[in-house]
Amino acid sequence: MRHAGRMLALAESGCPFRIDAGLATVGREDFDGAPPAGITAHPKVDPVTGEMVVFCYGLEPPYLT
């Protein structure tokens, strides 16, 4: 997906990876901070603010972050 000038490759509960226009891997995306443990492969973007909303689920508490 494209968001905030970045192109991202996503997999369910996996770490996001930044890719370039030729689909080559640039590296793990940390969103300019601590890299998430994993995010959903189907994030949503708020049409008003442009904010991307993601979540991650696990088998142990907290089950949803």
Side-chain angles (χ1 to χ4, degrees):
M1 81 167 300
R2 289 181 187 264
H3 184 262
R6 299 171 177 146
M7 192 155 49
L8 304 172
L10 305 172
E12 206 61 46
S13 292
C15 295
F17 282 85
R18 194 169 185 172
I19 56 177
D20 66 18
L23 303 181
T25 301
V26 175
R28 287 178 74 172
E29 179 58 56
D30 68 359
F31 300 103
D32 299 324
I39 63 173
T40 181
H42 307 283
K44 303 299 180 214
V45 176
D46 184 298
V48 175
T49 67
E51 181 179 27
M52 183 168 62
V53 179
V54 300
F55 62 89
C56 183
Y57 54 87
L59 299 175
E60 298 176 6
Y63 298 106
L64 185 65
T65 56

